């Protein structure tokens, strides 16, 4: 539906919210697309995620579609992993900050400045102390985003981009604190459901981000099938 209305979204006035197909788990819907590209060996030759069984590897692989003006707000990537992003169409402006400057940008629990609006010194009084690194990424180019680096991206034209997150061996120990509970919960969910979790399943998101996994989540995912509850009340 989104792709069918892409041209319509591109004509929206600048003061209107811009719909953005971001973090699309395309391998759920069109799995054959996975075979249409080869992840750069430079990044993935020591990827600790690839040492996991295939049905337990984190689904950190997304496509982004959006008109000019769509943005990925400032954030630090999931599990503080490394990432690369390749521009397939269009251009994006990336703004990155060294991890040492994170303290000037983040307020409370994962609140960040909106770089497309004027600074808010009342909420982010130290934002001006953070020194940005900025680059324009064009079609055919790849950007490497190091772990723990806060970053922001905004499309300068209609754009399509592909991104994968990975865990180099050098950070294996740090990432394992996330991998172990994720893999345990995902394995239990898949055992109960009798199928692999889809990347976009609510249960998958709970396995990745943490939180309570209730028995009702399983019964909803299984439909009319009866289930036992090997996880107790929560995981």
């Amino acid at each position: 539906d989104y792709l069918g209305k892409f041209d319509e979204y591109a004509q929206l006035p600048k003061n209107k919210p811009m719909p953005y197909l971001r973090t699309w788990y395309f391998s759920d819907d069109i799995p054959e697309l996975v075979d249409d590209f080869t992840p750069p060996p430079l990044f993935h030759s020591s990827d600790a995620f690839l040492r996991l069984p295939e049905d337990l590897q984190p689904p950190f692989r997304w496509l982004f579609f959006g008109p000019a003006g769509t943005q990925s707000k400032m954030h630090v990537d999931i599990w503080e992993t490394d990432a690369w992003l390749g521009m397939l169409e269009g251009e994006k402006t990336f703004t990155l900050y060294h991890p040492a400057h994170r303290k000037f940008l983040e307020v409370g629990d994962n609140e960040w400045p909106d770089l497309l609006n004027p600074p808010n010194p009342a909420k982010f009084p130290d934002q001006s102390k953070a020194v940005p690194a900025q680059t324009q990424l064009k079609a055919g180019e790849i950007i490497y985003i190091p772990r723990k680096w806060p970053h922001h991206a905004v499309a300068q034209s209609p754009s399509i981009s592909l991104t994968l997150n990975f865990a180099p061996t050098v950070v294996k120990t740090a990432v394992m604190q996330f991998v172990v509970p994720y893999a345990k919960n995902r394995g239990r969910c898949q055992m109960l459901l009798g199928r692999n979790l889809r990347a976009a399943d609510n249960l998958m998101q709970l396995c990745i981000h943490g939180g309570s996994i209730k028995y009702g989540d399983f019964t909803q995912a299984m439909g009319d099938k009866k289930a036992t509850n090997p996880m107790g009340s929560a995981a």
Side-chain angles (χ1 to χ4, degrees):
D1 289 344
Y2 181 90
L3 297 181
K5 296 181 178 179
F6 191 87
D7 290 339
E8 177 185 333
Y9 294 148
Q11 303 303 318
L12 288 173
K14 290 186 177 181
N15 61 342
K16 295 287 185 181
M18 191 70 68
Y20 189 17
L21 180 59
R22 60 187 303 273
T23 59
W24 173 32
Y25 292 105
F26 61 91
S27 57
D28 278 353
D29 303 313
I30 313 177
E32 55 269 28
L33 287 180
V34 175
D35 298 324
D36 286 348
F37 68 95
T38 300
L42 177 66
F43 299 134
H44 293 274
S45 59
S46 65
D47 186 358
F49 292 153
L50 297 181
R51 300 183 182 182
L52 294 170
E54 187 173 354
D55 67 339
L56 291 179
Q57 293 175 11
F60 297 158
R61 178 173 52 205
W62 304 276
L63 276 170
F64 295 75
F65 289 77
T70 49
Q71 66 166 324
S72 293
K73 294 183 178 181
M74 195 183 303
H75 64 284
V76 171
D77 276 355
I78 182 74
W79 295 357
E80 296 187 343
T81 49
D82 292 56
W84 61 267
L85 181 143
M87 286 300 303
L88 305 180
E89 296 287 346
E91 297 184 9
K92 284 184 176 180
T93 298
F94 280 81
T95 305
L96 301 91
Y97 294 87
H98 190 277
H101 292 187
R102 180 172 180 170
K103 61 187 178 183
F104 302 136
L105 298 166
E106 187 179 22
V107 173
D109 184 17
N110 203 33
E111 282 195 77
W112 304 87
D114 182 350
L115 296 191
L116 298 188
N117 285 316
N120 182 349
K123 190 168 188 178
F124 302 99
D126 295 324
Q127 181 180 348
S128 62
K129 298 178 182 178
V131 180
Q134 196 168 78
T135 187
Q136 192 93 347
L137 197 68
K138 300 179 180 180
E141 297 179 337
I142 289 177
I143 186 171
Y144 165 60
I145 301 173
R147 69 199 75 100
K148 300 184 180 182
W149 281 59
H151 55 281
H152 171 274
V154 58
Q156 301 300 332
S157 61
S159 67
I160 305 172
S161 54
L162 167 71
T163 188
L164 273 76
N165 286 54
F166 59 101
T169 303
V170 68
V171 297
K172 178 181 177 182
T173 301
V175 172
M176 286 303 291
Q177 64 177 310
F178 303 105
V179 171
V180 171
Y182 152 80
K184 286 183 177 179
N185 284 339
R186 180 173 176 180
R188 291 167 178 166
C189 290
Q190 292 178 164
M191 178 182 67
L192 180 64
L193 294 174
R195 66 169 176 83
N196 288 342
L197 286 178
R198 288 164 50 89
D201 282 344
N202 288 337
L203 284 173
M204 176 70 85
Q205 298 309 306
L206 285 167
C207 291
I208 292 171
H209 298 287
S212 297
I213 300 178
K214 299 179 176 61
Y215 182 52
D217 294 323
F218 292 103
T219 55
Q220 182 180 22
M222 296 185 71
D224 295 330
K225 294 183 180 179
K226 293 183 179 180
T228 57
N229 186 8
M231 300 181 68
S233 60

